[in-house]
Amino acid sequence: MDLSIPTSINVIGGAEALKYIAADRSACVDLVSRAYLVHDSGDSSLPHSSFLRIPRRERDRIIALPAYLGGEFDVAGIKWIASWPENTARGLARASAVLVLNDPATGFPFTCLEASVISATRTAASAVLGAEALIGGRTARRIGFIGTGLIAGHVADFLADLAWETDGYRLFDLSRPAAERFATRLTERGAADVQVVDEVAGVFAQCDLVVLATVAGTPHLHDPELLANRPVVLHLSLRDLDPALVLSAQNITDDVDHVMREHTSLHLAEQQAGHRDFVEGTIADIVAGRIRRDPERAAVYSPFGLGVLDLAIGQWVHRQATEAGEGRLVSDFFPAAQ
């Protein structure tokens, strides 16, 4: 894209982004894998996320994730994502976000995308990438979901579109109606043996792949027996597991420095243990074959959610939309050079 004389910016909505993502989720997983490897090579810049919190409203927050991703991508940008859990009671989405991408040659932003879809997509793509790398294929005896909201739905869509094979699903949510709606969704997509259970133990006991996708702010899973069957756990919500469970498992993340912040379960485990040695490596280590799954322990994959992944997915969506002549081009967005 020639931005030697920047004048305009393309605005891409969530429905447009989802159209391209839903048409090729396999490409999204491949993008995330490649982005992780570029980040692992050191050709990226990833400042710590900034958390804006509202006084006397502990659950509400807006997070800024600036990043640069080099290699084949060569793009900078920032995601600005709000999380308002009480929105769901008002019939609104919990998360809302925008992603702005900048051209490294000029610094000018060239697109603004609705980013709650992109954020959920990169989270789900990272999850299924980790699941396949740790399991060694796209087969699980049973798949469990603890938390059946937006992120769980995106993960389920990725598992279905990537043709994962499983004999059944076990679901738990604090809202049983939400779990039952999720069960109906899975069944309508052709899933068999979908059951809603009354306790999280029922998910862990019956599943070898467990997806944690809650809105928990502090650990609520404490029983060491939960990991007795040595499942692969996709710890997407980051704050579900008691530090003792973390310390008993083989731990994989996407960036050790980034995940050891903001009272994640791994951060709490580090504070308790006084070191980070319990983290064996990153998803890039697994993908590159530098480390392998330990079959004698539960494997816990806790991706912090790196801004470089948003850049990779957002840039791809922008190119798809631009080539199709879609989006809303705002001409003369930038003032003429003085």
Side-chain angles (χ1 to χ4, degrees):
M1 185 175 182
D2 182 9
L3 293 175
S4 57
I5 307 176
T7 59
S8 60
I9 191 167
N10 198 18
V11 179
I12 300 171
E16 292 167 308
L18 183 58
K19 177 178 68 174
Y20 295 112
I21 290 163
D24 199 348
R25 288 191 169 92
S26 181
C28 295
V29 175
D30 183 57
L31 281 165
V32 164
S33 179
R34 284 151 45 199
Y36 273 139
L37 292 175
V38 170
H39 176 63
D40 180 69
S41 76
D43 193 6
S44 64
S45 180
L46 195 64
H48 282 307
S49 306
S50 295
F51 286 69
L52 176 65
R53 300 187 185 277
I54 311 300
R56 296 174 297 281
R57 291 161 59 180
E58 294 181 358
R59 300 184 69 196
D60 298 337
R61 62 189 183 184
I62 311 178
I63 311 172
L65 292 88
Y68 166 76
L69 183 61
E72 65 182 280
F73 299 95
D74 191 30
V75 64
I78 186 167
K79 181 174 71 175
W80 181 241
I81 182 165
S83 175
W84 253 246
E86 294 304 318
N87 274 357
T88 56
R90 307 183 188 111
L92 299 173
R94 176 182 61 85
S96 57
V98 294
L99 173 67
V100 176
L101 300 183
N102 298 70
D103 174 22
T106 65
F108 273 76
F110 58 88
T111 190
C112 177
L113 304 102
E114 194 285 327
S116 67
V117 168
I118 290 170
S119 186
T121 293
R122 59 88 152 144
T123 299
S126 172
V128 298
L129 174 68
E132 182 174 354
L134 289 167
I135 289 176
R138 295 179 178 177
T139 301
R141 180 173 56 90
R142 290 193 191 90
I143 299 172
F145 284 88
I146 296 173
T148 56
L150 176 71
I151 296 300
H154 279 268
V155 173
D157 288 341
F158 268 81
L159 292 171
D161 284 3
L162 271 65
W164 271 70
E165 297 179 359
T166 182
D167 292 334
Y169 291 84
R170 298 294 181 266
L171 314 175
F172 174 83
D173 196 289
L174 291 176
S175 168
R176 189 176 181 92
E180 290 172 345
R181 288 192 297 270
F182 196 80
T184 299
R185 173 178 175 174
L186 291 174
T187 302
E188 289 176 347
R189 291 201 61 169
D193 189 23
V194 181
Q195 297 182 28
V196 176
V197 299
D198 293 327
E199 297 181 351
V200 294
V203 175
F204 280 96
Q206 300 181 56
C207 300
D208 50 349
L209 176 62
V210 177
V211 182
L212 297 177
T214 74
V215 293
T218 56
H220 58 100
L221 302 176
H222 305 278
D223 185 357
E225 287 300 312
L226 294 175
L227 302 184
N229 292 331
R230 304 186 294 278
V232 169
V233 180
L234 306 180
H235 188 200
L236 306 183
S237 32
L238 292 174
R239 295 170 178 83
D240 301 275
L241 298 176
D242 184 89
L245 272 68
V246 171
L247 294 172
S248 72
Q250 180 186 23
N251 289 282
I252 306 297
T253 186
D254 48 8
D255 188 293
V256 177
D257 287 336
H258 282 264
V259 81
M260 298 294 182
R261 300 181 68 228
E262 294 294 327
H263 307 294
T264 65
S265 292
L266 271 68
H267 186 199
L268 297 177
E270 178 191 34
Q271 293 175 330
Q272 181 172 309
H275 59 76
R276 300 178 173 184
D277 296 347
F278 56 89
V279 178
E280 187 158 337
T282 67
I283 185 61
D285 290 323
I286 293 283
V287 169
R290 293 189 292 262
I291 61 175
R292 296 184 180 277
R293 163 82 189 279
D294 178 359
E296 299 303 315
R297 290 185 291 165
V300 175
Y301 175 43
S302 303
F304 189 71
L306 306 182
V308 293
L309 306 184
D310 297 286
L311 301 188
I313 299 292
Q315 182 187 60
W316 178 77
V317 168
H318 166 75
R319 286 175 175 167
Q320 299 284 316
T322 300
E323 290 173 4
E326 295 187 346
R328 284 160 291 286
L329 193 67
V330 182
S331 301
D332 300 323
F333 184 81
F334 301 106
Q338 301 296 319

